[in-house]
Amino acid sequence: MQPCTMWNLCAAGKTESCELPGSEKVYLLKQDCTFFTRKEILRLHARFYELAPNMVPMDYTNDPEVRLPLQLIINMPELVENPFKERIVQAFSEDGEGNLSFNDFVDMFSVMSEMAPRELKAIYAFKIYDFNTDNFICKSDLEQTLNKLTREELEAEEVTLVCEKVIEEADMDGDGKLAFADFENMISKAPDFLSTFHIRI
Amino acid sequence: MRKVLQKWKLTTKNVSLRDYPVPLHEKRRLREEELELIRNSNTKFWGPWSTCGECLCVRSTLDRLHQVARAFKLWERALIAISGRFGSGISSYFSFLRFLLLLNLVSSVFIFGMLVVPTLFFTKDDVHQAPPGSDDPCISPSNNTESEGIFIDLFTGQGFLRDSILFYGHYFKGTTDGSSFNIRLVYLLVPLVYLLLCGLYLMRRTAQGIATRRVRSRDYKTRISTKVFSSWDFCAQGVGMSLLKQQSLSNEIKSHLAEELWLLNLEGLSLGRRVHIIFSRVLINSVILALLGCAFYSVHLAAVVSQDYQGITPILALFTQYLVPIVISLVLILLPPIFMLLVKLEGHSPSAELTLTLIRCVFLRLGTLGIFFFSLGQKILCYGSEETSCNVCGHNTQFKCWETSVGQEFYKLSVFHFLHLTMDFLLLQAPRSFLVSRVKWRVVVWLGKEKFSLPQNVLDTVYGQTLVWGGLFYAPLLPLLNIVFIFLTFHIKKFSLYRLCDASQKLVRVSTSRILFYFVLLLGLMTTFFPLIYMVTSVRPSRACGLFTDYSTTWEYVQNSTRSAMAIKDLSYVTSDLFPFCLLGIFSIMLTSYISRVRQYEHIIEELKDHLTYQIQDKIFLVRTLKEADDAPGQEMDHQEHQSDTP
C-alpha cells in the first residue's frame, strides 16, 4: 500500500487504501475539524502530555478516554495569568466541571486561535462570561466579570453603575439581562474583539 | 444536533466543518457521516469534486501556503513576544514598522531594478560632463564647495556623494540612447506611480478602519460594554503583567465614568462658567497659534541662513548645513509638552484633550515640513522675491543642479532624524533609566523612567517616512537608506521598551492606533505629493545636469512622447478649467446620496429595535394571561369542592 499523502486523502473514501501509522490516524482526521495543521496538533499533544506524563497515553488508536482535571490545565503558562482561566476550561469541557480530554483541549485552542471566525468566538465568549450557566448574562455575571477584570479595585457603586450601563447599552429585548443575540450584536460592534480574544500556543 | 447544524448551514454560507460550535468528537463523527454519504452516492471520477462544494484539496493547499508564508514573515517571533508582554496596542506599533519596511523595500526594488541597473550598465565614461568652454551661464560649472573629507561628505551629501547614483544629478539622458529602454520616462513615472499606489492603498486602509470603528460603534465614543468585554488581552502572558493590566483597566473604566460625569456636569453649567471656558479656549488657541507661527518662522530663518553660509571651518559649516534639521527637532521636542499642558486649561473632556493634542502635533510636524519646502522654493526658485538671478535660467544660478541640492536637503533631514533617535536613546533614555535604578533622590523618583508613548512614536516614524517620500524624486535611493534606518529603529525601540521604559499605565487600542497610523501617513504622503506634482509640471529643470535638460518642464517630455503616439487631443479637456468643477459636482451628488442612505438606515434600525421590544412585551403579556387562565379554572374547581364539602 502506498503511504498517505495530502492528495490521496482528498478524494473521498481513500483513507482505507493507503497506510497510516496507528498513532497518526487520529491527527489526520482531526485536520479539517480544527484550525491547526498536523504539526501543530502533534505539538499540542506534546504539551498535553507534559501536563500529566503518567496519565496521558502516546497511542490514540483505541481512542482512550483520558481527562485531565481543571487544576492541571489552568497552570499552563498561556492560561495562568488570565482571570477567566477556570471559566475558559469549563466552557470547553463536556461535563462543565473543567475536565478536558485531548479532543476538548485541541478544540479549546483551535477556537481561541487567530484563525477562528468571529461568530464562533462569540458563542464561546458568551459561554465563558455566563458564570451561572443559565444561558443569560445577568447582572451578577457582569459583576463577577468586572471584579475579575479589575481585581476589585473599583468601588461597589462604580461596579453597579458600570453593570447597569452595559445592560442598558446591549439589552435589546428589555428583560434586564443579555441573551446570546444581544451579546453577539454588541460584540459585532467591538472592533477589537477578534484581536484580544485569542490565545497563542 | 442535525437540526441545529442544518439551521447553521442555512444562515451562513460556505461554512466549513471547523466553524461549527460543537465539541470535537461530534465534528469527527459528522465528518465520517459526510464521507460515508459521498462514498456511497457517487463513484465517478468527478464525484468528490462536484459533491463537496469547495474541494478539501484546494482549501488545505491554501492553508498550507498561508502557514508557510507566515513562517517567513520578518520579526514574527519578536512581535509575538512583545504582544504577550506589553499588549497588542504596543505590538501594533512594531508591526507598523514592519509594514513601512515592506513599502520601502518595494520602492527600492523597483527603483533599483529600473533605474540604477540600466544606469550602471550603460554608463559611458564622460558623456555626462558638460562640454568645456560653453558660455551659457546656466550650464558652466560653478565654484561649488569642494569636498571636505569623506566623513563630513557622508553627512552633507557633498563631494563624492553628490555625483553618485544617490542623487538626481547622476542620471543623464545619454544612458539609453539607441536602445528602446526610455530612461527618462522610467525616472519620471516610477516614483509618481509608486506614490500614487501608496496613496490609494493607504486611503483604502484608512477608510476600512474608520468604517469598522464607525459602523461597529455607531459614534466615535467607545462604549463601556466594549471596554468590559474586549479590553482584556487573552494572549498576554508574563508574570506580574496581569496585575499591571488590571490596574490600567480599572483606571480606564474610572476615566470613562469620569468622562460621563463630566458630560453630565456640562449640562448644568452656569452662564458665567461657560463664558469663562469659551474665553479661555480662545486665549489658549491664540497662544498655540502664536507658538506655531514662531516655530515656522524659526524654521524659515534657519533655511535662509543655512543656504547663505560662506566658507568657514568645516565643523561650523557642517553645523550650518544641519541647522534646519536641528531647529526642526528642537521645535518638535519643545512644543508638544507645552501643548499637553495648555490643553488641560481648556476645559475639554479627557478623551477630547488627547485628540486635540494629537491633531496639533500632526499639524506642527507637517507644517514645519511645508514651511521648509516653501523656503527652499524661495531660495532655489525665487518665489515671491525680487531676485533677478532667476530670470536667466529659471532657477537660482548659484545652484547649477538644483535638483541635487533639494535631494541633499532631504538626505540631511533623513540622516538627522535617525541621528536624533539614536542620540535620544543614548543620551536621554539610557542615563535616565540608569539614574532611576541606582539613585534614590526624590526628584529622580518623581521623574521616573521614560514611558513608551505610542502616539509620539507613531508620529515620529510617519515623519521619517514622509521625508523619504518627499525626497524620492530627487534622491532615488533614499528608500534603501530608510530600510537600514527602520531596521535599526526596530531594534533600538525594542531594547528601550524592554529595558529602559516603564510599562505604560494607559491601555492602547489596536483599532485606534491603526487608524491614527494610516491616516497620518496618508496626510504626510499628500503633503509631499502635491508639491512634487507642482514641481514636475511647472518648474524648469536645471540645464547642467539630469535627464530633462532640454525641456521647459519635466512633464513636457511625457507630453511630447505621447503626442505622436496616440491622438489624445480629447484629454486636453481633462486639464481645462471646467473639468474639476464637473467632477466636484458629481462627487457631491454621490456623497449626498450615501449620507442620506446612511441616515435612513440608522432610523430604520432604531425603529426595529423598538419593534423588537414591543414584540417581547406582547409575548410576556400573552404568557402571563395564559398562565392566569390556566390557574383560574383550577381555583374554581377548588372552590366548588370546598362548597360541596362544607354541608
Side-chain angles (χ1 to χ4, degrees):
Chain A
M1 266 205 277
Q2 80 237 25
C4 281
T5 62
M6 194 174 66
W7 294 106
N8 55 7
L9 271 178
C10 274
K14 284 279 186 78
T15 33
E16 294 97 50
S17 68
C18 59
E19 190 175 42
L20 283 168
S23 61
E24 298 208 347
K25 211 179 251 198
V26 113
Y27 306 123
L28 284 163
L29 279 178
K30 280 204 215 301
Q31 217 173 330
D32 222 25
C33 301
T34 67
F35 293 95
F36 291 129
T37 60
R38 175 166 160 264
K39 207 157 79 164
E40 286 167 349
I41 296 179
L42 286 169
R43 204 157 47 92
L44 274 174
H45 185 252
R47 294 293 304 271
F48 194 63
Y49 181 77
E50 268 170 32
L51 291 175
N54 46 347
M55 282 170 67
V56 174
M58 283 305 261
D59 184 7
Y60 267 78
T61 25
N62 301 324
D63 228 350
E65 277 295 313
V66 174
R67 288 175 188 279
L68 292 189
L70 179 74
Q71 287 308 318
L72 281 175
I73 316 258
I74 59 179
N75 284 325
M76 290 179 71
E78 285 84 0
L79 288 176
V80 74
E81 290 285 330
N82 199 319
F84 300 106
K85 51 193 179 212
E86 293 99 356
R87 280 304 304 155
I88 297 175
V89 178
Q90 282 166 356
F92 284 96
S93 66
E94 268 188 67
D95 52 6
E97 296 295 316
N99 302 311
L100 294 185
S101 67
F102 183 58
N103 280 341
D104 301 328
F105 188 76
V106 171
D107 212 11
M108 175 167 78
F109 284 109
S110 162
V111 168
M112 299 298 283
S113 74
E114 333 179 72
M115 297 160 282
R118 175 185 283 267
E119 296 81 14
L120 187 61
K121 286 193 185 205
I123 293 177
Y124 282 100
F126 186 74
K127 277 198 204 168
I128 288 173
Y129 290 122
D130 182 14
F131 282 81
N132 49 10
T133 54
D134 60 351
N135 281 335
F136 286 102
I137 295 184
C138 57
K139 203 154 167 225
S140 69
D141 293 330
L142 280 174
E143 280 175 12
Q144 276 186 289
T145 309
L146 261 179
N147 283 328
K148 278 193 191 287
L149 277 176
T150 60
R151 203 180 276 247
E152 306 188 12
E153 291 225 352
L154 295 180
E155 327 249 315
E157 55 182 39
E158 284 175 342
V159 170
T160 328
L161 196 58
V162 171
C163 292
E164 276 171 21
K165 279 200 172 306
V166 171
I167 292 186
E168 189 189 306
E169 279 175 9
D171 189 18
M172 289 201 293
D173 45 15
D175 55 359
K177 42 194 181 170
L178 305 181
F180 177 64
D182 304 329
F183 183 76
E184 199 185 7
N185 185 33
M186 176 190 47
I187 285 297
S188 70
K189 297 192 186 121
D192 296 301
F193 178 67
L194 269 181
S195 53
T196 53
F197 196 74
H198 93 266
I199 296 181
R200 274 202 184 101
I201 186 162
Chain B
M1 184 52 68
R2 268 263 157 225
K3 266 198 235 157
V4 167
L5 289 170
Q6 271 167 359
K7 199 171 70 143
W8 190 253
K9 250 189 177 155
L10 283 172
T11 49
T12 44
K13 302 180 245 187
N14 289 336
V15 160
S16 64
L17 189 62
R18 57 195 185 179
D19 292 337
Y20 288 174
V22 293
L24 197 72
H25 60 94
E26 268 299 320
K27 285 188 238 186
R28 288 173 64 191
R29 201 180 52 78
L30 284 162
R31 199 193 144 143
E32 290 292 315
E33 282 180 17
E34 277 199 38
L35 281 176
E36 194 68 43
L37 243 118
I38 293 170
R39 217 176 293 149
N40 294 340
S41 64
N42 212 328
T43 49
K44 288 189 300 200
F45 176 71
W46 293 109
W49 294 79
S50 58
T51 37
C52 60
E54 257 185 280
C55 182
L56 296 168
C57 276
V58 174
R59 198 153 1 111
S60 41
T61 330
L62 281 175
D63 281 345
R64 277 282 273 265
L65 279 173
H66 277 302
Q67 298 286 340
V68 169
R70 203 174 300 156
F72 277 117
K73 268 191 179 176
L74 187 63
W75 297 325
E76 189 71 18
R77 288 267 111 210
L79 284 179
I80 291 177
I82 292 175
S83 83
R85 224 170 123 184
F86 299 102
S88 41
I90 290 188
S91 99
S92 66
Y93 168 72
F94 289 93
S95 66
F96 297 156
L97 281 180
R98 187 172 63 180
F99 169 70
L100 277 184
L101 197 74
L102 188 67
L103 274 186
N104 283 306
L105 195 67
V106 164
S107 77
S108 325
V109 159
F110 274 122
I111 287 178
F112 198 80
M114 299 181 85
L115 270 184
V116 177
V117 168
T119 312
L120 288 176
F121 267 136
F122 294 117
T123 298
K124 299 173 185 58
D125 279 322
D126 41 17
V127 177
H128 65 282
Q129 295 294 343
S134 65
D135 289 329
D136 194 344
C138 302
I139 297 183
S140 62
S142 70
N143 36 359
N144 264 334
T145 47
E146 297 300 326
S147 156
E148 315 222 14
I150 291 191
F151 187 69
I152 294 192
D153 281 344
L154 209 60
F155 283 108
T156 58
Q158 298 282 18
F160 77 99
L161 275 182
R162 184 160 57 100
D163 296 320
S164 69
I165 47 172
L166 185 57
F167 293 118
Y168 174 92
H170 179 85
Y171 301 92
F172 62 99
K173 59 183 187 264
T175 305
T176 49
D177 272 343
S179 73
S180 55
F181 183 80
N182 193 336
I183 194 162
R184 284 172 176 173
L185 216 53
V186 163
Y187 190 93
L188 186 57
L189 290 181
V190 163
L192 290 180
V193 168
Y194 165 73
L195 286 176
L196 199 65
L197 287 177
C198 275
L200 288 175
Y201 180 73
L202 286 173
M203 237 189 279
R204 182 160 167 259
R205 290 294 283 258
T206 314
Q208 275 177 350
I210 290 183
T212 314
R213 238 179 102 89
R214 174 100 172 93
V215 163
R216 297 235 147 109
S217 61
R218 297 294 295 286
D219 45 32
Y220 290 104
K221 200 162 50 107
T222 321
R223 302 165 128 213
I224 194 149
S225 44
T226 320
K227 283 200 179 135
V228 170
F229 286 114
S230 54
S231 298
W232 185 268
D233 205 343
F234 275 56
C235 56
Q237 305 172 23
V239 184
M241 282 297 148
S242 67
L243 183 61
L244 210 64
K245 285 198 165 47
Q246 280 165 333
Q247 276 174 347
S248 50
L249 196 59
S250 63
N251 282 341
E252 189 171 335
I253 293 184
K254 281 193 198 204
S255 66
H256 185 103
L257 289 176
E259 186 157 332
E260 302 257 327
L261 200 65
W262 185 89
L263 279 172
L264 277 177
N265 280 345
L266 193 64
E267 274 139 46
L269 279 182
S270 65
L271 186 64
R273 186 99 186 101
R274 271 189 229 247
V275 166
H276 181 254
I277 284 185
I278 292 178
F279 180 70
S280 60
R281 277 188 199 172
V282 165
L283 187 67
I284 288 178
N285 274 314
S286 34
V287 165
I288 286 180
L289 279 173
L291 281 172
L292 282 174
C294 287
F296 293 160
Y297 184 68
S298 55
V299 171
H300 177 75
L301 220 72
V304 166
V305 165
S306 82
Q307 297 292 341
D308 279 341
Y309 75 99
Q310 300 298 323
I312 349 174
T313 63
I315 298 296
L316 209 54
L318 185 68
F319 181 73
T320 328
Q321 290 229 18
Y322 268 85
L323 195 60
V324 173
I326 290 176
V327 167
I328 292 184
S329 299
L330 274 176
V331 158
L332 293 176
I333 293 175
L334 290 175
L335 284 189
I338 299 182
F339 288 165
M340 283 196 259
L341 281 174
L342 284 177
V343 87
K344 291 197 198 307
L345 303 170
E346 280 186 54
H348 285 292
S349 72
S351 62
E353 279 179 8
L354 281 169
T355 324
L356 216 56
T357 317
L358 215 57
I359 292 176
R360 286 175 183 155
C361 287
V362 168
F363 187 66
L364 178 67
R365 277 175 197 265
L366 294 179
T368 51
L369 212 55
I371 292 289
F372 178 62
F373 282 154
F374 178 71
S375 17
L376 216 58
Q378 229 186 13
K379 188 68 197 172
I380 293 181
L381 303 166
C382 308
Y383 287 132
S385 69
E386 304 299 317
E387 283 210 36
T388 46
S389 57
C390 298
N391 290 352
V392 180
C393 305
H395 60 87
N396 196 335
T397 26
Q398 233 186 340
F399 306 94
K400 288 292 176 247
C401 198
W402 64 265
E403 287 99 343
T404 306
S405 310
V406 172
Q408 281 170 341
E409 294 296 324
F410 277 106
Y411 173 76
K412 284 187 278 192
L413 274 174
S414 224
V415 166
F416 190 76
H417 181 253
F418 178 69
L419 281 178
H420 170 90
L421 184 98
T422 334
M423 289 298 130
D424 194 40
F425 168 69
L426 285 173
L427 299 178
L428 282 179
Q429 287 181 7
R432 188 168 162 182
S433 105
F434 181 76
L435 266 181
V436 168
S437 57
R438 299 267 192 264
V439 171
K440 295 289 176 224
W441 299 342
R442 216 150 31 132
V443 176
V444 167
V445 169
W446 170 77
L447 203 58
K449 283 191 193 177
E450 177 118 357
K451 292 202 179 10
F452 191 86
S453 159
L454 192 69
Q456 295 302 330
N457 276 306
V458 167
L459 288 182
D460 246 345
T461 315
V462 167
Y463 178 73
Q465 184 62 38
T466 312
L467 289 174
V468 167
W469 278 336
L472 190 62
F473 192 74
Y474 302 107
L477 288 188
L478 219 46
L480 206 60
L481 199 61
N482 204 29
I483 289 178
V484 175
F485 287 162
I486 290 183
F487 194 80
L488 292 171
T489 309
F490 182 90
H491 290 287
I492 291 178
K493 289 276 173 201
K494 193 171 105 157
F495 182 81
S496 76
L497 183 68
Y498 272 92
R499 301 282 163 82
L500 306 178
C501 287
D502 245 348
S504 175
Q505 290 285 334
K506 269 190 335 162
L507 275 178
V508 184
R509 251 198 197 92
V510 176
S511 52
T512 325
S513 61
R514 248 180 221 161
I515 295 177
L516 173 73
F517 181 73
Y518 289 122
F519 183 62
V520 178
L521 205 56
L522 184 65
L523 281 182
L525 182 68
M526 291 205 291
T527 318
T528 52
F529 191 59
F530 292 125
L532 184 66
I533 296 280
Y534 175 73
M535 300 273 247
V536 161
T537 52
S538 323
V539 175
R540 171 98 181 59
S542 61
R543 276 188 239 177
C545 65
L547 292 165
F548 301 101
T549 50
D550 306 335
Y551 297 94
S552 59
T553 69
T554 330
W555 191 249
E556 196 184 313
Y557 178 72
V558 177
Q559 287 174 327
N560 282 352
S561 338
T562 49
R563 200 169 291 152
S564 51
M566 21 183 184
I568 27 175
K569 293 192 190 67
D570 304 331
L571 274 191
S572 66
Y573 289 144
V574 173
T575 48
S576 71
D577 285 335
L578 194 56
F579 187 71
F581 285 110
C582 293
L583 214 57
L584 200 65
I586 295 175
F587 280 145
S588 320
I589 294 175
M590 279 171 61
L591 199 63
T592 318
S593 76
Y594 274 125
I595 290 181
S596 53
R597 255 205 281 174
V598 163
R599 289 236 176 92
Q600 194 194 15
Y601 287 153
E602 284 181 358
H603 188 62
I604 291 179
I605 287 175
E606 292 297 322
E607 280 192 1
L608 282 174
K609 272 185 172 179
D610 291 335
H611 196 63
L612 187 65
T613 320
Y614 295 147
Q615 293 262 329
I616 305 273
Q617 284 173 354
D618 287 345
K619 205 167 31 166
I620 294 177
F621 172 73
L622 282 171
V623 164
R624 209 177 288 144
T625 325
L626 263 174
K627 195 162 176 291
E628 282 169 15
D630 255 344
D631 289 342
Q635 280 179 3
E636 281 179 5
M637 281 184 45
D638 284 345
H639 192 67
Q640 280 172 1
E641 278 177 10
H642 187 72
Q643 278 184 336
S644 61
D645 279 343
T646 31

